[in-house]
Amino acid sequence: MAIFFMRLFFYFFVLHFGHGVFELEASHHVYHTFQNLEESAVSATSQPYRTGYHFQPPKNWMNDPNGPMIYKGIYHLFYQYNPKGAVKGKGSIVWAHSTSRDLVNWTPQKVAIYPSQPSDIDGTWSGSATILQDGTPALLYTGINPLHQQVQNLALPKNSSDPYLLEWVKSPKNAVMAPAPENQINASSFRDPTTAWLGVDGRWRVIIGSKINRKGLAYLYRSKDFVHWIKAKRPLHSAKNTGMWECVDFFPVSVNSPVGFDTSTLGPTVKHVLKASLDDTKHDYYTIGEYDHAKDIYIPDEGSLDGDSGLRYDYGKFYASKTFFDSAKNRRLLWAWLNESSSVSDDIKKGWAGIQAIPRAVWLDKSGKQLVQWPIEEIEMLRTNPVHLPSQDLKGGSVLEVPSVTAAQADVEITFKLSNFRKAEVLDPSWTNPQLLCSQKGTSVRGSLGPFGLLVLASKGMQEYTSVFFRIFKGQNKHVVLMCSDQSRSSLNPDNDKTTYGTFVDVDPVHKQLSLRSLIDRSVVESFGGQGKSCISARVYPTLAINKAAHLYAFNNGSESVTITRLSAWSMKKAHIN
Ligand code: DQQ
């Protein structure tokens, strides 16, 4: 096994660098052409940026994950899909549908929900699935009516004994929730119903994102039969100056274990998480807090901040996410849309846009102050040709190639140990914005303890690379770990968004080793720092570092040595997706 040190690393960087009655749906004549999505699939081999194991349709535009659930042992993912092309076409957006037994390999099904009624004729937007008391799954989704108002609709399976849930029937009572003069809801900001939860009073609750001027909020509705919904006087929660809340999500987490809970679970070992996708900044932020079910309000814990300064699932490109409770494995799983960073004209050329992140298990950290996320264990079934490098020191200014992996499609885990903190750079108290700090102190800016980490999707001559790394600073009374994903050199194509992303990681590097895992898949790099405490996803489009010409390296561009205590990498097989 060849281990390749390049002491000229620095040189490279410097130089290159209860359901009522339901009507039968009209036949699917309008959208039947989308029923055999795979027939018109674009050839993946001629497309270096099509992913090998991330969920995406064969062609066209995809955005939000919708209504994820497990039903009779089958996982379902619906998603916002434009059957007409690779750009977002709001009026034509439908709920496409795929099913899976393992969350890794997916079979396309026919479009589940598409515009067909006055209450959704101008678009079938995002929503969620709820498993009702009798086991029937119900979908609540936003429809756009001919007045361009956002209203909420209900659909139920035509045949609930079908585990594949191929046919959906819309409620004749649609819209089941709508803006009206008496409720003063802003008709262009009222969308994306959550999975509902059942209160101790036997009534269902659901929240819907909205805004009043600059205040973001989650309207609460209650229902006895899932058909007739009454708006509560108070929203579940609101926050000043956060703008429109899209795709809100609200769910319980356990205070003492990583197990997931059904959405209706209450009790002394339960905290709640409220997530909102901020339309203004395209960030998914969340708070952790208490759900007062008697008052039907949610109060974030002290220190759990609302808005963009709060916690995010992911500090890169990751939006419109949604969780569901996987009752087969007692875990809560998180899906999210990873948009492109390429130009619209490049998207049209490649014929598709949008992928889903690898589903992540999500649970409350022991501190109770943040969530932890980890890629579903099932994804490891795609690992092949393991490469394990022995523990070794990585001197300042050196790189180490990870040999024998298909670096364009890989899973890599690396752990660092640091022993000498004396020379750690002092953290200036004004450096409160980690993303800014990462862009000012990128890969090529030498520090003392860092940058060290991984160079992924790198070309042999380092003309292109995406770099995921840590830097350690001396804070006022503890050491501070910064995690960055630097895309500035990811592609020679000038048309891509190459924003550098960053976040702080709540790990004490003096007492704990620092781990990083990256899932690399052709045009996506999903990175998990501190065993899932901080996540950053990036979309990148190398022109040289593609297919077999992609390389993977560990690097240290600090002046101090770091020890790699573990480096394991796997080539990833292609999943069967759609
Ligand atoms: N996308 C949907 C909306 C949602 C937005 C429309 C979030 O329902 O608010 O495709 O990406």
Side-chain angles (χ1 to χ4, degrees):
M1 194 188 309
I3 296 175
F4 177 54
F5 280 94
M6 269 198 310
R7 296 305 303 261
L8 290 178
F9 176 78
F10 186 55
Y11 162 84
F12 277 124
F13 282 118
V14 170
L15 280 188
H16 296 289
F17 297 8
H19 340 154
V21 185
F22 292 86
E23 241 170 23
L24 213 68
E25 181 71 271
S27 74
H28 280 210
H29 62 283
V30 181
Y31 291 96
H32 78 277
T33 44
F34 317 117
Q35 294 178 9
N36 291 311
L37 292 172
E38 77 273 42
E39 278 173 18
S40 49
V42 188
S43 155
T45 46
S46 62
Q47 291 237 9
Y49 308 135
R50 271 196 79 80
T51 60
Y53 61 96
H54 281 71
F55 183 95
Q56 57 180 133
K59 61 176 187 174
N60 294 337
W61 166 274
M62 172 176 67
N63 55 301
D64 316 352
N66 291 157
M69 67 173 132
I70 181 166
Y71 184 65
K72 293 188 188 294
I74 303 290
Y75 291 102
H76 292 259
L77 178 67
F78 305 87
Y79 54 92
Q80 293 280 285
Y81 178 68
N82 179 6
K84 294 184 179 158
V87 293
K88 187 166 192 175
K90 277 192 176 164
S92 51
I93 220 131
V94 301
W95 279 45
H97 181 200
S98 291
T99 54
S100 171
R101 287 189 175 277
D102 56 16
L103 291 163
V104 173
N105 301 291
W106 291 89
T107 306
Q109 306 294 359
K110 64 183 180 182
V111 166
I113 309 266
Y114 55 87
S116 70
Q117 300 190 319
S119 61
D120 67 14
I121 202 66
D122 276 332
T124 50
W125 289 14
S126 286
S128 308
T130 303
I131 310 286
L132 303 180
Q133 292 106 312
D134 68 356
T136 309
L139 301 179
L140 286 171
Y141 67 95
T142 299
I144 309 299
N145 73 15
L147 301 172
H148 285 279
Q149 292 177 322
Q150 297 172 7
V151 300
Q152 315 315 321
N153 294 305
L154 170 65
L156 290 177
K158 182 173 170 189
N159 172 11
S160 53
S161 63
D162 170 19
Y164 295 98
L165 298 169
L166 298 186
E167 309 273 351
W168 290 87
V169 181
K170 295 176 185 175
S171 171
K173 299 280 189 210
N174 284 342
V176 294
M177 291 165 249
E182 64 275 12
N183 60 32
Q184 296 188 332
I185 291 172
N186 178 344
S188 55
S189 305
F190 179 53
R191 55 185 182 270
D192 312 333
T194 57
T195 295
W197 68 98
L198 195 59
V200 287
D201 58 3
R203 284 182 297 171
W204 288 101
R205 275 107 170 125
V206 72
I207 52 171
I208 294 141
S210 189
K211 67 171 175 183
I212 299 173
N213 300 319
R214 292 280 310 134
K215 181 170 75 177
L217 73 157
Y219 283 121
L220 178 77
Y221 277 76
R222 299 191 193 91
S223 173
K224 285 188 185 142
D225 59 4
F226 224 81
V227 178
H228 300 90
W229 293 88
I230 298 169
K231 185 173 152 295
K233 282 209 180 76
R234 278 203 277 182
L236 183 80
H237 186 56
S238 65
K240 280 188 193 136
N241 231 357
T242 50
M244 174 63 192
W245 287 6
E246 297 190 309
C247 297
V248 282
D249 196 16
F250 185 59
F251 58 90
V253 284
S254 167
V255 293
N256 49 26
S257 110
V259 298
F261 285 143
D262 174 83
T263 309
S264 301
T265 306
L266 298 172
T269 61
V270 171
K271 299 283 291 184
H272 274 77
V273 174
L274 178 63
K275 184 276 300 188
S277 300
L278 297 177
D279 195 17
D280 291 0
T281 56
K282 297 290 178 244
H283 292 150
D284 277 20
Y285 93 92
Y286 68 88
T287 52
I288 297 165
E290 292 294 332
Y291 168 46
D292 180 337
H293 64 93
K295 292 191 186 139
D296 255 339
I297 52 166
Y298 165 79
I299 303 158
D301 289 346
E302 213 183 312
S304 195
L305 301 180
D306 271 302
D308 236 6
S309 45
L311 296 165
R312 290 185 220 158
Y313 283 141
D314 192 295
Y315 291 82
K317 193 151 272 193
F318 189 96
Y319 194 64
S321 62
K322 190 176 294 298
T323 63
F324 76 104
F325 174 58
D326 176 7
S327 53
K329 292 199 173 178
N330 284 328
R331 57 188 174 169
R332 185 156 285 270
L333 298 182
L334 171 69
W335 279 102
W337 165 43
L338 308 186
N339 197 358
E340 302 302 310
S341 294
S342 45
S343 65
V344 171
S345 64
D346 280 353
D347 293 343
I348 292 168
K349 265 186 239 153
K350 68 187 197 295
W352 57 271
I355 64 170
Q356 299 292 324
I358 297 300
R360 303 173 180 179
V362 48
W363 66 93
L364 189 64
D365 181 53
K366 284 201 181 93
S367 68
K369 291 194 169 143
Q370 68 159 101
L371 297 173
V372 185
Q373 300 160 68
W374 200 245
I376 47 163
E377 60 188 5
E378 287 87 339
I379 208 70
E380 293 170 27
M381 73 171 77
L382 298 175
R383 287 174 167 180
T384 184
N385 299 333
V387 175
H388 302 291
L389 298 191
S391 173
Q392 57 196 283
D393 285 347
L394 196 55
K395 294 218 168 66
S398 65
V399 294
L400 165 67
E401 177 150 23
V402 182
S404 315
V405 284
T406 56
Q409 204 172 297
D411 183 357
V412 53
E413 295 192 50
I414 187 164
T415 306
F416 298 97
K417 196 174 138 199
L418 307 162
S419 30
N420 189 348
F421 291 86
R422 270 181 297 122
K423 293 197 179 149
E425 287 169 80
V426 174
L427 187 79
D428 188 302
S430 70
W431 294 347
T432 50
N433 181 335
Q435 175 160 351
L436 191 63
L437 192 52
C438 285
S439 60
Q440 286 163 350
K441 290 178 175 283
T443 317
S444 56
V445 180
R446 286 197 96 170
S448 36
L449 288 172
F452 57 86
L454 295 170
L455 297 176
V456 308
L457 295 170
S459 60
K460 194 81 194 164
M462 295 287 175
Q463 299 94 332
E464 291 180 333
Y465 58 86
T466 292
S467 155
V468 189
F469 62 81
F470 298 115
R471 269 175 198 274
I472 316 292
F473 296 96
K474 206 182 289 171
Q476 274 183 332
N477 40 28
K478 60 174 185 178
H479 286 89
V480 174
V481 178
L482 179 73
M483 174 178 167
C484 306
S485 184
D486 176 357
Q487 284 68 241
S488 57
R489 298 285 187 140
S490 58
S491 173
L492 295 179
N493 179 348
D495 298 337
N496 302 313
D497 167 12
K498 297 177 189 167
T499 305
T500 291
Y501 307 121
T503 181
F504 293 115
V505 193
D506 185 22
V507 172
D508 173 4
V510 179
H511 298 104
K512 284 244 164 77
Q513 299 197 5
L514 209 48
S515 74
L516 174 65
R517 178 178 181 188
S518 287
L519 293 171
I520 305 153
D521 193 4
R522 295 171 173 272
S523 63
V524 55
V525 183
E526 285 188 69
S527 299
F528 301 82
Q531 286 172 313
K533 280 188 155 187
S534 295
C535 311
I536 306 182
S537 297
R539 300 298 312 280
V540 289
Y541 310 87
T543 59
L544 306 171
I546 57 172
N547 301 323
K548 288 185 176 157
H551 296 263
L552 173 63
Y553 304 89
F555 80 100
N556 177 11
N557 199 25
S559 59
E560 300 300 293
S561 285
V562 297
T563 306
I564 298 175
T565 53
R566 177 182 179 213
L567 201 173
S568 296
W570 296 263
S571 298
M572 290 294 270
K573 288 180 278 191
K574 199 171 158 36
H576 297 283
I577 297 180
N578 295 321

PDB file of all heavy atoms in Angstrom, residues 43-61:
ATOM      1  N   SER A  43     -28.230   9.092 -19.361  1.00  0.00           N
ATOM      2  CA  SER A  43     -27.175   8.136 -19.037  1.00  0.00           C
ATOM      3  C   SER A  43     -26.263   8.695 -17.944  1.00  0.00           C
ATOM      4  O   SER A  43     -25.727   9.792 -18.064  1.00  0.00           O
ATOM      5  CB  SER A  43     -26.371   7.851 -20.295  1.00  0.00           C
ATOM      6  OG  SER A  43     -25.097   7.434 -19.946  1.00  0.00           O
ATOM      7  N   ALA A  44     -26.114   7.929 -16.883  1.00  0.00           N
ATOM      8  CA  ALA A  44     -25.342   8.415 -15.735  1.00  0.00           C
ATOM      9  C   ALA A  44     -23.852   8.483 -16.047  1.00  0.00           C
ATOM     10  O   ALA A  44     -23.149   9.361 -15.550  1.00  0.00           O
ATOM     11  CB  ALA A  44     -25.592   7.529 -14.529  1.00  0.00           C
ATOM     12  N   THR A  45     -23.361   7.571 -16.883  1.00  0.00           N
ATOM     13  CA  THR A  45     -21.911   7.505 -17.102  1.00  0.00           C
ATOM     14  C   THR A  45     -21.386   8.735 -17.815  1.00  0.00           C
ATOM     15  O   THR A  45     -20.263   9.171 -17.586  1.00  0.00           O
ATOM     16  CB  THR A  45     -21.559   6.259 -17.931  1.00  0.00           C
ATOM     17  OG1 THR A  45     -22.475   6.202 -19.014  1.00  0.00           O
ATOM     18  CG2 THR A  45     -21.595   5.000 -17.099  1.00  0.00           C
ATOM     19  N   SER A  46     -22.223   9.318 -18.675  1.00  0.00           N
ATOM     20  CA  SER A  46     -21.758  10.503 -19.394  1.00  0.00           C
ATOM     21  C   SER A  46     -21.898  11.740 -18.515  1.00  0.00           C
ATOM     22  O   SER A  46     -21.636  12.846 -18.941  1.00  0.00           O
ATOM     23  CB  SER A  46     -22.569  10.677 -20.674  1.00  0.00           C
ATOM     24  OG  SER A  46     -23.925  10.880 -20.322  1.00  0.00           O
ATOM     25  N   GLN A  47     -22.344  11.546 -17.298  1.00  0.00           N
ATOM     26  CA  GLN A  47     -22.651  12.668 -16.419  1.00  0.00           C
ATOM     27  C   GLN A  47     -21.830  12.547 -15.140  1.00  0.00           C
ATOM     28  O   GLN A  47     -22.242  11.876 -14.202  1.00  0.00           O
ATOM     29  CB  GLN A  47     -24.131  12.626 -16.052  1.00  0.00           C
ATOM     30  CG  GLN A  47     -25.034  12.931 -17.197  1.00  0.00           C
ATOM     31  CD  GLN A  47     -25.943  14.113 -16.882  1.00  0.00           C
ATOM     32  OE1 GLN A  47     -25.776  14.790 -15.882  1.00  0.00           O
ATOM     33  NE2 GLN A  47     -26.881  14.348 -17.740  1.00  0.00           N
ATOM     34  N   PRO A  48     -20.672  13.208 -15.080  1.00  0.00           N
ATOM     35  CA  PRO A  48     -19.819  13.030 -13.899  1.00  0.00           C
ATOM     36  C   PRO A  48     -20.441  13.546 -12.602  1.00  0.00           C
ATOM     37  O   PRO A  48     -19.970  13.199 -11.535  1.00  0.00           O
ATOM     38  CB  PRO A  48     -18.569  13.833 -14.247  1.00  0.00           C
ATOM     39  CG  PRO A  48     -18.996  14.792 -15.300  1.00  0.00           C
ATOM     40  CD  PRO A  48     -20.101  14.119 -16.065  1.00  0.00           C
ATOM     41  N   TYR A  49     -21.467  14.396 -12.687  1.00  0.00           N
ATOM     42  CA  TYR A  49     -22.021  14.980 -11.463  1.00  0.00           C
ATOM     43  C   TYR A  49     -23.249  14.253 -10.952  1.00  0.00           C
ATOM     44  O   TYR A  49     -23.725  14.551  -9.856  1.00  0.00           O
ATOM     45  CB  TYR A  49     -22.350  16.467 -11.686  1.00  0.00           C
ATOM     46  CG  TYR A  49     -21.167  17.226 -12.250  1.00  0.00           C
ATOM     47  CD1 TYR A  49     -21.310  18.115 -13.305  1.00  0.00           C
ATOM     48  CD2 TYR A  49     -19.888  17.019 -11.735  1.00  0.00           C
ATOM     49  CE1 TYR A  49     -20.218  18.793 -13.827  1.00  0.00           C
ATOM     50  CE2 TYR A  49     -18.789  17.682 -12.259  1.00  0.00           C
ATOM     51  CZ  TYR A  49     -18.956  18.565 -13.306  1.00  0.00           C
ATOM     52  OH  TYR A  49     -17.879  19.218 -13.818  1.00  0.00           O
ATOM     53  N   ARG A  50     -23.776  13.316 -11.748  1.00  0.00           N
ATOM     54  CA  ARG A  50     -24.900  12.528 -11.210  1.00  0.00           C
ATOM     55  C   ARG A  50     -24.370  11.665 -10.086  1.00  0.00           C
ATOM     56  O   ARG A  50     -23.305  11.065 -10.187  1.00  0.00           O
ATOM     57  CB  ARG A  50     -25.531  11.651 -12.290  1.00  0.00           C
ATOM     58  CG  ARG A  50     -26.626  12.356 -13.044  1.00  0.00           C
ATOM     59  CD  ARG A  50     -27.481  11.376 -13.806  1.00  0.00           C
ATOM     60  NE  ARG A  50     -28.449  10.711 -12.958  1.00  0.00           N
ATOM     61  CZ  ARG A  50     -29.600  11.243 -12.563  1.00  0.00           C
ATOM     62  NH1 ARG A  50     -29.926  12.454 -12.924  1.00  0.00           N
ATOM     63  NH2 ARG A  50     -30.445  10.561 -11.804  1.00  0.00           N
ATOM     64  N   THR A  51     -25.125  11.603  -9.024  1.00  0.00           N
ATOM     65  CA  THR A  51     -24.599  10.917  -7.845  1.00  0.00           C
ATOM     66  C   THR A  51     -24.767   9.402  -7.989  1.00  0.00           C
ATOM     67  O   THR A  51     -25.600   8.924  -8.756  1.00  0.00           O
ATOM     68  CB  THR A  51     -25.343  11.401  -6.591  1.00  0.00           C
ATOM     69  OG1 THR A  51     -26.724  11.113  -6.736  1.00  0.00           O
ATOM     70  CG2 THR A  51     -25.152  12.893  -6.386  1.00  0.00           C
ATOM     71  N   GLY A  52     -23.966   8.671  -7.213  1.00  0.00           N
ATOM     72  CA  GLY A  52     -24.019   7.213  -7.264  1.00  0.00           C
ATOM     73  C   GLY A  52     -24.904   6.622  -6.184  1.00  0.00           C
ATOM     74  O   GLY A  52     -25.421   5.513  -6.332  1.00  0.00           O
ATOM     75  N   TYR A  53     -25.058   7.323  -5.067  1.00  0.00           N
ATOM     76  CA  TYR A  53     -25.833   6.726  -3.981  1.00  0.00           C
ATOM     77  C   TYR A  53     -26.706   7.738  -3.231  1.00  0.00           C
ATOM     78  O   TYR A  53     -27.262   7.413  -2.194  1.00  0.00           O
ATOM     79  CB  TYR A  53     -24.923   5.943  -3.030  1.00  0.00           C
ATOM     80  CG  TYR A  53     -23.840   6.733  -2.330  1.00  0.00           C
ATOM     81  CD1 TYR A  53     -24.060   7.216  -1.041  1.00  0.00           C
ATOM     82  CD2 TYR A  53     -22.613   6.979  -2.925  1.00  0.00           C
ATOM     83  CE1 TYR A  53     -23.075   7.939  -0.378  1.00  0.00           C
ATOM     84  CE2 TYR A  53     -21.616   7.688  -2.277  1.00  0.00           C
ATOM     85  CZ  TYR A  53     -21.850   8.168  -1.009  1.00  0.00           C
ATOM     86  OH  TYR A  53     -20.875   8.879  -0.354  1.00  0.00           O
ATOM     87  N   HIS A  54     -26.813   8.940  -3.782  1.00  0.00           N
ATOM     88  CA  HIS A  54     -27.777   9.906  -3.234  1.00  0.00           C
ATOM     89  C   HIS A  54     -29.074   9.814  -4.035  1.00  0.00           C
ATOM     90  O   HIS A  54     -29.050   9.547  -5.237  1.00  0.00           O
ATOM     91  CB  HIS A  54     -27.225  11.334  -3.309  1.00  0.00           C
ATOM     92  CG  HIS A  54     -26.248  11.644  -2.221  1.00  0.00           C
ATOM     93  ND1 HIS A  54     -24.988  11.102  -2.191  1.00  0.00           N
ATOM     94  CD2 HIS A  54     -26.363  12.414  -1.113  1.00  0.00           C
ATOM     95  CE1 HIS A  54     -24.358  11.546  -1.099  1.00  0.00           C
ATOM     96  NE2 HIS A  54     -25.174  12.341  -0.424  1.00  0.00           N
ATOM     97  N   PHE A  55     -30.166  10.103  -3.380  1.00  0.00           N
ATOM     98  CA  PHE A  55     -31.470   9.997  -4.035  1.00  0.00           C
ATOM     99  C   PHE A  55     -31.656  11.138  -5.034  1.00  0.00           C
ATOM    100  O   PHE A  55     -31.524  12.307  -4.694  1.00  0.00           O
ATOM    101  CB  PHE A  55     -32.590  10.050  -2.984  1.00  0.00           C
ATOM    102  CG  PHE A  55     -33.958   9.876  -3.576  1.00  0.00           C
ATOM    103  CD1 PHE A  55     -34.555   8.628  -3.599  1.00  0.00           C
ATOM    104  CD2 PHE A  55     -34.635  10.949  -4.131  1.00  0.00           C
ATOM    105  CE1 PHE A  55     -35.814   8.464  -4.167  1.00  0.00           C
ATOM    106  CE2 PHE A  55     -35.890  10.788  -4.703  1.00  0.00           C
ATOM    107  CZ  PHE A  55     -36.477   9.536  -4.715  1.00  0.00           C
ATOM    108  N   GLN A  56     -31.988  10.781  -6.263  1.00  0.00           N
ATOM    109  CA  GLN A  56     -32.396  11.794  -7.227  1.00  0.00           C
ATOM    110  C   GLN A  56     -33.222  11.121  -8.312  1.00  0.00           C
ATOM    111  O   GLN A  56     -33.067   9.931  -8.566  1.00  0.00           O
ATOM    112  CB  GLN A  56     -31.199  12.556  -7.814  1.00  0.00           C
ATOM    113  CG  GLN A  56     -30.146  11.739  -8.496  1.00  0.00           C
ATOM    114  CD  GLN A  56     -29.001  12.602  -9.041  1.00  0.00           C
ATOM    115  OE1 GLN A  56     -27.856  12.295  -8.854  1.00  0.00           O
ATOM    116  NE2 GLN A  56     -29.311  13.691  -9.727  1.00  0.00           N
ATOM    117  N   PRO A  57     -34.126  11.869  -8.943  1.00  0.00           N
ATOM    118  CA  PRO A  57     -34.875  11.296 -10.057  1.00  0.00           C
ATOM    119  C   PRO A  57     -33.995  11.211 -11.302  1.00  0.00           C
ATOM    120  O   PRO A  57     -32.938  11.846 -11.346  1.00  0.00           O
ATOM    121  CB  PRO A  57     -36.030  12.280 -10.260  1.00  0.00           C
ATOM    122  CG  PRO A  57     -35.620  13.541  -9.606  1.00  0.00           C
ATOM    123  CD  PRO A  57     -34.521  13.243  -8.636  1.00  0.00           C
ATOM    124  N   PRO A  58     -34.410  10.460 -12.309  1.00  0.00           N
ATOM    125  CA  PRO A  58     -33.556  10.315 -13.508  1.00  0.00           C
ATOM    126  C   PRO A  58     -33.322  11.622 -14.238  1.00  0.00           C
ATOM    127  O   PRO A  58     -32.307  11.790 -14.905  1.00  0.00           O
ATOM    128  CB  PRO A  58     -34.342   9.356 -14.400  1.00  0.00           C
ATOM    129  CG  PRO A  58     -35.321   8.686 -13.505  1.00  0.00           C
ATOM    130  CD  PRO A  58     -35.618   9.641 -12.400  1.00  0.00           C
ATOM    131  N   LYS A  59     -34.259  12.531 -14.136  1.00  0.00           N
ATOM    132  CA  LYS A  59     -34.049  13.818 -14.814  1.00  0.00           C
ATOM    133  C   LYS A  59     -34.941  14.872 -14.151  1.00  0.00           C
ATOM    134  O   LYS A  59     -35.749  14.557 -13.277  1.00  0.00           O
ATOM    135  CB  LYS A  59     -34.363  13.719 -16.308  1.00  0.00           C
ATOM    136  CG  LYS A  59     -35.792  13.341 -16.623  1.00  0.00           C
ATOM    137  CD  LYS A  59     -36.022  13.369 -18.130  1.00  0.00           C
ATOM    138  CE  LYS A  59     -37.483  13.165 -18.447  1.00  0.00           C
ATOM    139  NZ  LYS A  59     -37.799  13.320 -19.844  1.00  0.00           N
ATOM    140  N   ASN A  60     -34.768  16.100 -14.565  1.00  0.00           N
ATOM    141  CA  ASN A  60     -35.624  17.227 -14.148  1.00  0.00           C
ATOM    142  C   ASN A  60     -35.321  17.743 -12.733  1.00  0.00           C
ATOM    143  O   ASN A  60     -34.395  17.289 -12.076  1.00  0.00           O
ATOM    144  CB  ASN A  60     -37.101  16.875 -14.276  1.00  0.00           C
ATOM    145  CG  ASN A  60     -37.492  16.683 -15.734  1.00  0.00           C
ATOM    146  OD1 ASN A  60     -36.825  17.207 -16.625  1.00  0.00           O
ATOM    147  ND2 ASN A  60     -38.539  15.929 -15.982  1.00  0.00           N
ATOM    148  N   TRP A  61     -36.146  18.668 -12.356  1.00  0.00           N
ATOM    149  CA  TRP A  61     -35.955  19.397 -11.098  1.00  0.00           C
ATOM    150  C   TRP A  61     -36.590  18.662  -9.921  1.00  0.00           C
ATOM    151  O   TRP A  61     -37.730  18.202 -10.010  1.00  0.00           O
ATOM    152  CB  TRP A  61     -36.592  20.776 -11.237  1.00  0.00           C
ATOM    153  CG  TRP A  61     -36.768  21.518  -9.951  1.00  0.00           C
ATOM    154  CD1 TRP A  61     -37.823  21.419  -9.082  1.00  0.00           C
ATOM    155  CD2 TRP A  61     -35.874  22.464  -9.368  1.00  0.00           C
ATOM    156  NE1 TRP A  61     -37.628  22.254  -8.000  1.00  0.00           N
ATOM    157  CE2 TRP A  61     -36.443  22.913  -8.156  1.00  0.00           C
ATOM    158  CE3 TRP A  61     -34.631  22.988  -9.763  1.00  0.00           C
ATOM    159  CZ2 TRP A  61     -35.819  23.859  -7.336  1.00  0.00           C
ATOM    160  CZ3 TRP A  61     -34.023  23.929  -8.943  1.00  0.00           C
ATOM    161  CH2 TRP A  61     -34.612  24.350  -7.749  1.00  0.00           C
TER     162      TRP A  61
END
